[in-house]
Amino acid sequence: MSRSVAEPPTDPSRPRARGFLVKLGGWSFRHPWQALGAAVFGMILSLVLAVSNLSLETDWLILFSPKHPEIQTLEYWRDNLPGSKDLAVIVSRGDLKTRQRAVDQLGLSFAKHPEVLSSPLYSIDAKIFLHSGLYFLSKQQLLGLKNDLQSLLSGIRRGTGDDSFKVDSFADSLILAAPGAGLILRFMEALEESTRADLSDADLNNFWPAVEPESSKIREMMGSVQAAPPKRIYLSLDAGQTLLILVSPNIGTQNLEAAAPSVHKVREILEGVREQYPTLSFSLTGEPVLVVDERLTIAQDSVRSTVCSLFLVLALFHFGFREVARPALALATLIVGLVWTLGAVSLAVGHLNFITVTYIPILVGIGIDFGIHIGFRYFECRAELPGPEAMEQTMRTAGKDTLIGAMATSVAFGVLIVVGFRGVAELGLIAFLGVLLCQLSACTVLPALLGVLERRNFQLPQRGRQDLNALHQSIKPWNGVLLTMAGILTVLSIAGARYVTFDIHLLKMQNPNLESVRTEMMLVSSGKSSVLTALVPAKDLAQAREFENRLRALPSVAEVISLSTFLPQVEPGEESLVKEILKDRPELVRILKGIGLAPPLDARQALKLFSAVDEIKPTQTWGTEIKKLGQELRARASKRGPGPLLDGANEILRQLEQRANEMVPLLEIQTAEPLLQSQLPPALVQRLQGVDGSYALRVFPRLDIWRPENLQNFLEDLRKVNPKVSGEPVLIELFERLVMRTHRLGIVFSLLAMFGLLYFVLRDIRLTLLASLPTAISLLQVLGFMGMFSWSFNPANFVAVPMLLGIGSVFGLHSVLRMQELGNDRLLCCSTGLAILLSSLTSAAGFASLGLAEHRGIASLGGLVTLGLLVNVVLSLFILPCLVERFPHLLQAAPKQTSH
């Protein structure tokens, strides 16, 4: 084997490794085939467990403990409300008729695939509401309508053989019947208004006012119940400009990941419809779509990052080793550790989420560090000692150091187990297990592989690199400059760190090219409502109607949908009013049709009408008022001529004819019974009523609830109506709250854990501060860089701080331990210097590969940790030796106080 720097004598002041680690590595070295057989058996068992138990789940609920009340409520509604997992298709642009045709085609296409899609809801037959249209009027409106219609019946004496309206007979009846005179009084009042000189046409009051639904939502969908309504009512986000189709994935009570076939089928149908309607815009969103898209993205990101991480590690090995033996040994050891980790994760957790799926490329970089250190140290020792003694020395030094490093890294991840919510705690647990298992593999599989090579008399090629002595000599004259530059950058970083912010906007983390993400961003940026709705429970329809009215008055609410929206509120006495109105329906319809056929009023008929006014008896309560109005109208006619008077009368009659023509079809289809819930479409009911009979109001936010301030205002408003709010906005709120709590506690506890572990190993405050210095400064410089370039923490990259503290502290620890062992600053002149460089670069490579992720949160995590690790290794390899050269006493443990 090649020779290199001889192993210096072991420092007696340094704690000796525990016998177990030396014995474990020695046994594996002496019995390689038994050790490798056990390792392979563990790999096979782990793969079996992973295939049978391990799954990838991106449902947001999996990130939280089921003990959270918010999660329990969400789970309840998912199971209780079959339509709570809707996919939403947004149709916009083009003209309204084209949009409606496209929506009808899509809805019918979705209905043809019940194996993956169920209950499409896109439009409702307007007849359902029109048949009970009178019940959507208020009781006061019904009373007015009843009196008007009764006045027509009582006050108009019909001609014979002619269904048209006869002004002559109307004038005759005016003298005989009081009910008809009530209408003529209103006619005279409207005519008096219409003939004022200072009144514009826009100010004219209708002689017979429009009768509108009491429900604002029904009024928005159908307009006046008298006006000709559409045949179908379409779901819309903005009064018809953007149409909405809801369809449920046929997944039962499974998690949202199971909606993948449903999402695929909807997209397949959409592609075909897009070709037929090129002027329209089609978009797909909804929580199941976001979950399925995120699952696909992170799965692809994980594979891409893992491949990239392995490639970068191989490239670094080529630089570090300049041969293939040691890289192959380290990679084989790493693969064993990764497969063992798969089995452990299958047993301990059973699934991966969008946060924990990043552990594979991360462990590729971290886990191989142990093999690098042990491999370098073994070949350094092997240059002076026989194989078994070299392995013993290696395990006593590098083996112990890697165990300490594994513990430091594991402690940082262990902090996440303690302070993190479920998703982050699972990341901590998986990384904790992975780091320890990779270190175990390095202490067993690697010695076994080295034992096999020793039996075959393997010789390390002479070109293999073992130290960085040349680099040490070249930078030694620049030590002062390096220290000055490090100080300046640290001061600047402290200034920049003040501007670091935390951006909790969840959509900004995800892949911006995903259709579901683009759709959500488009909706909120264009001022439309998000399809992520809050659920407000109600025990019955009366409470649902009360909540609906209160919610609609809130400034943060754009829309409220409830079964109470579609069902009329029937007050006592309304049914009898409707029945009285419909009792004389045939005669009313004939009269109204006759009014609709009436010709314009001529001068003779006008004179006939005014003559009838003169004959009204003044003793009647309405008679005096009519006579007074008639005298005022004659006075105006004498001044301005009869033309304006005749024009005003004809305009009022035209309005009356219009109302009569609108009222006829409504009366013809009316039923005497109010609309019942059983008559509503099942696809609508199942989205608004639970299987247990409770009711849910879907509340659409007016503003972008992905922004914390808007979300907080929205939920605060809703909780004033009912504190038991649920739905996706509550889930987002819970996620944001737990992320911020974990972020704060993670930083504090990671700092304490890192410092405590270093002090436990070094047993000296001065050495502990020295070993902590690279990690502390690197973290400051990363924060300064983020502040200067306006980078933010987000719900994915906030775990970068515990990772930097845990992983980065190992470099400073290895540097201090080896320089203490050497007794000088020549860290780069021994195998440890190159091992630290390579292990830091491979760790950085694992995180740098995450930068290729399309998920922006994961990519930003990779970028931050990579930057921190690179800064840390520069400080550990170059700045610490500079300090030791200038201040040699830093390596000396502080003298212990003795009592006298």
Side-chain angles (χ1 to χ4, degrees):
M1 294 188 180
S2 64
R3 301 264 175 178
S4 185
V5 178
E7 178 72 13
T10 303
D11 185 353
S13 65
R14 180 176 173 182
R16 293 181 61 84
R18 292 185 179 181
F20 175 76
L21 195 62
V22 176
K23 291 178 181 179
L24 181 63
W27 183 87
S28 300
F29 184 83
R30 292 189 304 271
H31 305 86
W33 296 115
Q34 291 92 323
L36 291 175
V40 172
F41 175 78
M43 292 176 65
I44 295 173
L45 181 61
S46 296
L47 289 173
V48 171
L49 289 172
V51 171
S52 58
N53 294 337
L54 195 61
S55 62
L56 174 61
E57 299 184 12
T58 51
D59 191 336
W60 290 350
L61 295 192
I62 205 68
L63 297 177
F64 309 99
S65 168
K67 296 180 180 179
H68 283 294
E70 297 92 337
I71 301 302
Q72 293 175 352
T73 304
L74 282 166
E75 291 281 12
Y76 163 78
W77 281 116
R78 279 192 179 183
D79 296 337
N80 189 45
L81 203 62
S84 63
K85 305 174 183 178
D86 280 331
L87 288 70
V89 178
I90 311 296
V91 183
S92 57
R93 299 183 183 176
D95 62 89
L96 179 60
K97 293 296 184 184
T98 305
R99 289 197 298 274
Q100 291 175 347
R101 286 199 304 272
V103 164
D104 288 336
Q105 184 173 337
L106 283 171
L108 293 174
S109 299
F110 294 157
K112 294 178 181 178
H113 299 279
E115 70 282 1
V116 290
L117 301 172
S118 64
S119 306
L121 179 64
Y122 53 97
S123 66
I124 305 173
D125 189 350
K127 289 182 180 179
I128 294 175
F129 305 104
L130 290 174
H131 285 166
S132 300
L134 292 178
Y135 284 98
F136 287 101
L137 307 180
S138 66
K139 190 173 183 180
Q140 183 179 0
Q141 286 179 310
L142 280 175
L143 282 170
L145 181 62
K146 173 197 168 187
N147 292 334
D148 288 344
L149 294 176
Q150 290 298 324
S151 296
L152 286 176
L153 284 172
S154 304
I156 297 179
R157 189 156 49 87
R158 300 186 57 75
T160 57
D162 188 357
D163 284 339
S164 62
F165 175 67
K166 302 295 184 181
V167 174
D168 295 350
S169 54
F170 185 49
D172 293 340
S173 67
L174 180 63
I175 304 172
L176 303 175
L183 281 180
I184 204 62
L185 175 60
R186 281 167 50 187
F187 179 88
M188 298 289 284
E189 289 173 342
L191 185 60
E192 188 275 333
E193 281 193 24
S194 70
T195 54
R196 291 181 188 173
D198 59 346
L199 198 68
S200 65
D201 291 340
D203 296 326
L204 287 176
N205 289 326
N206 288 325
F207 161 61
W208 195 339
V211 181
E212 296 184 339
E214 187 176 17
S215 165
S216 59
K217 185 61 183 176
I218 295 294
R219 188 163 60 248
E220 175 191 320
M221 293 189 300
M222 299 173 54
S224 169
V225 295
Q226 291 175 305
K231 293 183 179 180
R232 299 196 67 82
I233 299 170
Y234 289 83
L235 274 67
S236 172
L237 293 177
D238 50 8
Q241 296 303 309
T242 304
L243 299 185
L244 176 68
I245 308 172
L246 300 177
V247 60
S248 296
N250 198 358
I251 58 176
T253 59
Q254 300 179 74
N255 287 338
L256 295 183
E257 290 92 349
S262 306
V263 174
H264 175 75
K265 177 57 67 175
V266 169
R267 284 183 169 144
E268 180 183 306
I269 295 172
L270 280 176
E271 285 303 312
V273 175
R274 280 192 180 103
E275 296 178 1
Q276 301 178 44
Y277 299 93
T279 61
L280 301 184
S281 173
F282 300 87
S283 303
L284 179 63
T285 187
E287 188 184 1
V289 186
L290 290 169
V291 168
V292 170
D293 284 354
E294 191 165 44
R295 175 191 177 93
L296 179 62
T297 298
I298 63 177
Q300 293 174 343
D301 288 345
S302 179
V303 174
R304 184 188 303 111
S305 298
T306 301
V307 172
C308 178
S309 179
L310 288 170
F311 176 79
L312 290 175
V313 166
L314 288 173
L316 290 169
F317 275 167
H318 177 71
F319 161 77
F321 293 99
R322 294 183 179 176
E323 41 87 15
V324 297
R326 285 179 293 184
L329 294 175
L331 281 175
T333 302
L334 171 67
I335 291 171
V336 173
L338 290 176
V339 175
W340 287 354
T341 304
L342 280 176
V345 171
S346 302
L347 290 176
V349 182
H351 62 260
L352 301 175
N353 58 54
F354 81 87
I355 298 176
T356 58
V357 77
T358 61
Y359 93 97
I360 297 178
I362 291 174
L363 278 183
V364 168
I366 298 175
I368 206 165
D369 294 354
F370 311 124
I372 292 174
H373 280 276
I374 291 176
F376 265 104
R377 182 60 71 90
Y378 174 78
F379 284 106
E380 181 180 328
C381 296
R382 187 66 180 87
E384 299 292 335
L385 299 170
E389 288 81 358
M391 178 54 63
E392 181 180 346
Q393 180 69 7
T394 298
M395 298 308 295
R396 183 176 292 116
T397 54
K400 178 183 185 300
D401 292 347
T402 57
L403 178 60
I404 293 172
M407 291 172 59
T409 304
S410 298
V411 165
F413 288 113
V415 166
L416 297 178
I417 301 175
V418 177
V419 304
F421 56 95
R422 182 178 178 181
V424 174
E426 288 175 356
L427 172 63
L429 177 59
I430 291 171
F432 180 88
L433 294 172
V435 169
L436 292 180
L437 288 172
C438 285
Q439 204 277 337
L440 177 63
S441 177
C443 292
T444 54
V445 176
L446 184 54
L449 293 174
L450 290 170
V452 172
L453 293 180
E454 285 287 351
R455 293 187 178 191
R456 297 186 178 184
N457 296 318
F458 173 77
Q459 297 292 319
L460 188 67
Q462 291 295 323
R463 65 179 180 275
R465 188 193 298 271
Q466 192 68 38
D467 57 54
L468 299 171
N469 185 54
L471 181 60
H472 172 77
Q473 298 299 329
S474 64
I475 67 172
K476 191 174 182 64
W478 302 92
N479 283 354
V481 175
L482 291 176
L483 286 174
T484 303
M485 291 178 60
I488 294 173
L489 287 175
T490 302
V491 172
L492 293 176
S493 297
I494 293 174
R498 297 179 301 169
Y499 301 101
V500 178
T501 59
F502 199 114
D503 189 352
I504 204 73
H505 201 306
L506 294 176
L507 277 186
K508 291 183 179 179
M509 291 196 315
Q510 301 186 38
N511 180 6
N513 297 319
L514 291 178
E515 179 188 26
S516 53
V517 176
R518 291 201 313 269
T519 301
E520 272 292 315
M521 296 294 282
M522 177 273 292
L523 289 175
V524 297
S525 63
S526 60
K528 298 181 176 69
S529 177
S530 169
V531 296
L532 301 181
T533 57
L535 293 177
V536 176
K539 61 183 180 182
D540 51 38
L541 274 176
Q543 189 178 62
R545 184 168 286 107
E546 175 199 346
F547 287 170
E548 180 182 354
N549 294 333
R550 292 173 60 186
L551 289 168
R552 288 187 182 278
L554 297 175
S556 60
V557 172
E559 182 58 272
V560 183
I561 301 296
S562 165
L563 281 182
S564 61
T565 306
F566 302 95
L567 295 172
Q569 182 178 9
V570 182
E571 298 180 15
E574 281 194 20
E575 288 193 59
S576 60
L577 281 174
V578 171
K579 290 178 180 178
E580 288 184 38
I581 291 173
L582 298 180
K583 180 180 60 177
D584 299 308
R585 176 162 40 191
E587 183 67 16
L588 282 172
V589 168
R590 283 195 297 271
I591 291 174
L592 291 171
K593 285 182 177 180
I595 293 175
L597 297 173
L601 190 68
D602 57 26
R604 185 192 64 79
Q605 292 170 326
L607 290 174
K608 175 72 173 176
L609 199 58
F610 279 111
S611 298
V613 170
D614 289 337
E615 297 181 27
I616 292 176
K617 297 178 180 179
T619 56
Q620 293 172 296
T621 56
W622 39 264
T624 304
E625 295 181 36
I626 292 180
K627 282 182 173 293
K628 181 180 178 181
L629 286 171
Q631 293 171 359
E632 189 170 335
L633 288 171
R634 283 194 179 88
R636 290 183 187 176
S638 64
K639 292 181 180 179
R640 301 171 57 191
L645 194 66
L646 193 60
D647 291 342
N650 278 323
E651 174 60 25
I652 295 170
L653 288 177
R654 187 192 65 78
Q655 293 176 4
L656 177 60
E657 292 164 10
Q658 179 182 352
R659 297 300 184 199
N661 290 332
E662 292 170 351
M663 183 61 70
V664 167
L666 181 67
L667 285 175
E668 286 180 331
I669 65 172
Q670 282 305 292
T671 59
E673 293 77 26
L675 179 64
L676 302 177
Q677 182 174 314
S678 58
Q679 298 172 272
L680 294 175
L684 175 65
V685 175
Q686 74 175 21
R687 287 173 167 88
L688 300 172
Q689 185 180 28
V691 294
D692 65 351
S694 61
Y695 292 85
L697 291 83
R698 289 181 175 268
V699 187
F700 292 80
R702 185 175 299 278
L703 299 175
D704 178 9
I705 60 169
W706 296 102
R707 297 186 178 278
E709 61 276 12
N710 293 340
L711 177 65
Q712 183 178 5
N713 292 336
F714 177 61
L715 291 177
E716 283 180 356
D717 283 349
L718 266 55
R719 284 167 179 150
K720 294 175 184 176
V721 177
N722 187 346
K724 298 180 180 179
V725 180
S726 186
E728 292 92 348
V730 175
L731 185 62
I732 297 172
E733 179 196 39
L734 175 64
F735 186 55
E736 292 176 355
R737 185 173 73 246
L738 294 180
V739 162
M740 294 304 298
R741 174 184 175 274
T742 303
H743 179 61
R744 291 189 293 267
L745 293 179
I747 293 175
V748 173
F749 281 89
S750 295
L751 282 169
L752 294 175
M754 180 202 73
F755 195 82
L757 182 63
L758 292 180
Y759 183 78
F760 174 78
V761 173
L762 297 170
R763 304 297 176 90
D764 182 82
I765 190 65
R766 182 186 301 167
L767 294 176
T768 301
L769 291 174
L770 185 63
S772 305
L773 192 62
T775 303
I777 294 178
S778 64
L779 182 57
L780 275 177
Q781 292 189 6
V782 167
L783 294 175
F785 188 88
M786 293 176 67
M788 286 186 285
F789 289 89
S790 299
W791 287 8
S792 300
F793 283 114
N794 60 49
N797 69 21
F798 74 96
V799 294
V801 174
M803 288 181 177
L804 285 174
L805 291 172
I807 301 170
S809 63
V810 177
F811 306 145
L813 177 62
H814 283 323
S815 297
V816 169
L817 287 174
R818 193 61 196 272
M819 284 191 294
Q820 188 186 25
E821 181 180 323
L822 293 169
N824 56 51
D825 66 317
R826 295 174 61 83
L827 180 63
L828 298 178
C829 298
C830 66
S831 63
T832 302
L834 183 57
I836 291 175
L837 177 62
L838 283 177
S839 63
S840 64
L841 291 178
T842 54
S843 296
F847 285 97
S849 65
L850 297 179
L852 299 176
E854 294 181 349
H855 192 286
R856 287 176 291 181
I858 294 176
S860 64
L861 169 64
L864 289 181
V865 179
T866 300
L867 176 63
L869 293 179
L870 293 178
V871 174
N872 194 318
V873 74
V874 170
L875 294 168
S876 298
L877 287 180
F878 303 110
I879 303 303
L880 280 188
C882 290
L883 283 173
V884 170
E885 183 198 31
R886 292 295 179 92
F887 309 101
H889 65 279
L890 291 176
L891 286 179
Q892 300 171 5
K896 296 182 179 180
Q897 298 292 332
T898 58
S899 58
H900 297 282

